[in-house]
Amino acid sequence: MNKKHLKRLLVFLAVPLFVVLGCNIIINSAAKGKTFSDVDTIPKNRVGLVLGTSKKLSNGGPNPYYTYRIKATVTLYKAGKIAFVLVSGDNGTIYYNEPTTIQKDLIKAGIPKEKIYLDYAGFRTLDSMVRAKEVFGLQQVTVISQKFHNERAIYLAERKGLQAIGYNARDVSTKQGLKVQFREYFARVKVFLDLMFNTQPKFFGDKIDIK
């Protein structure tokens, strides 16, 4: 390979890398100071928005991301830092229903059913944040997920006119969560593509008041 071809190859490889790193830096910077791991220091918000994920892994074992989000939501509620919980997740088929599954586990953990609202059309983080504002009428919210996810959700929320902070559920070890962490870099690039093309949620629907 001659120097000319080598230079072209390096440029070809470098540009996507800079894009991925740039998107990551922008989102991290925008969320700085807006995520909290200590329940004593996080400000109060009327509603906590827990972002859905599957309860089980593909091998049938428990999904630690799910387990830690449930625990974080209960901790936040019992500390009086939120008064209501909005569960946003995928309900794409009759066999898969994230919001209802999460609701059942939150009730088992002591959160009253009447304090929990379900968003069945949170197919993506973008959908969850836009619907929180447009369907559920929220102006501000506490997002509940792992820190990396909270950062992306906060960035999206604020670009859509929703004030957001994040309460960080316990993260998963690097070895255990390597695949998810790798996907997150590309999810952050997708954020900017969605904003560029003004991507909208799959569904909106009737407005629902949280009260």
Side-chain angles (χ1 to χ4, degrees), residues 8-24:
R8 287 179 178 175
L9 178 61
L10 291 175
V11 170
F12 178 79
L13 295 174
V15 170
L17 179 61
F18 280 122
V19 169
V20 170
L21 292 177
C23 293
N24 192 61

Side-chain angles (χ1 to χ4, degrees), residues 62-81:
N63 178 2
Y65 289 105
Y66 178 97
T67 302
Y68 297 147
R69 290 182 202 181
I70 295 294
K71 290 181 178 178
T73 305
V74 173
T75 297
L76 208 58
Y77 179 82
K78 290 187 174 181
K81 294 303 179 86

Side-chain angles (χ1 to χ4, degrees), residues 157-174:
E158 295 190 342
R159 293 303 174 279
K160 296 297 183 178
L162 175 64
Q163 291 183 334
I165 57 174
Y167 182 58
N168 302 326
R170 178 179 168 183
D171 210 340
V172 176
S173 68
T174 302

Side-chain angles (χ1 to χ4, degrees), residues 92-203:
T93 74
I94 60 173
Y95 305 106
Y96 187 77
N97 189 325
E98 290 177 353
T100 299
T101 302
I102 293 172
Q103 180 193 43
K104 289 178 180 177
D105 284 333
L106 292 178
I107 293 171
K108 285 180 184 177
I111 299 181
K113 184 176 181 179
E114 63 270 19
K115 298 293 184 178
I116 305 171
Y117 288 75
L118 304 182
D119 175 10
Y120 294 106
F123 299 109
R124 300 173 51 205
T125 305
L126 170 70
D127 298 51
S128 297
M129 306 321 293
V130 173
R131 285 175 55 81
K133 180 175 185 292
E134 301 299 333
V135 176
F136 292 89
L138 302 182
Q139 298 302 314
Q140 54 191 34
V141 72
T142 298
V143 185
I144 306 164
S145 188
Q146 277 67 31
K147 184 179 180 182
F148 68 86
H149 196 187
N150 282 340
E151 290 170 340
R152 174 159 52 92
I154 289 169
Y155 187 84
L156 276 166
E158 295 190 342
R159 293 303 174 279
K160 296 297 183 178
L162 175 64
Q163 291 183 334
I165 57 174
Y167 182 58
N168 302 326
R170 178 179 168 183
D171 210 340
V172 176
S173 68
T174 302
K175 182 179 180 181
Q176 215 175 356
L178 186 61
K179 185 178 179 180
V180 171
Q181 293 166 19
F182 181 75
R183 284 204 311 260
E184 178 64 18
Y185 282 99
F186 296 96
R188 293 186 173 201
V189 175
K190 187 70 164 56
V191 164
F192 291 90
L193 293 174
D194 285 336
L195 292 173
M196 183 185 303
F197 294 106
N198 194 29
T199 303
Q200 297 298 312
K202 190 173 182 180
F203 299 111

